[in-house]
Amino acid sequence: MKADGTPVTELEPVMGAFSHLVAFHADGKTVLHIHPKTAHRLTDADRGGPQLDFQFCAPKPGFFRLFVQVQIAGEQKFAPFGVIVKP
Ligand SMILES: [Cu+2]
């Protein structure tokens, strides 16, 4: 969502995906790298958003620190957040 509250629909493909999501488990060893589902192979002309659907299959419970990467107007943006996976 943009600062004015409107949905983002201008996500640009980066390395073939509208987003890259990397998750690091608190164990310091487990790392996941996830891309959103798309209906077709993306081209540079495709634009995405506002919704991206990821399938996060945690291999173990615990805390994951995630970093999401997207690109808008040629500028890459990164955001961290955390998820606790219960047993
Ligand atoms: Cu990726």
Side-chain angles (χ1 to χ4, degrees), residues 7-46:
V8 173
T9 57
E10 304 90 6
L11 296 178
E12 299 167 348
V14 177
M15 294 179 282
F18 284 132
S19 179
H20 300 263
L21 185 65
V22 180
F24 299 92
H25 190 272
D27 68 5
K29 297 183 291 189
T30 306
V31 180
L32 304 174
H33 187 144
I34 310 163
H35 301 130
K37 298 175 185 175
T38 53
H40 64 279
R41 188 176 182 91
L42 299 181
T43 69
D44 289 345
D46 286 320

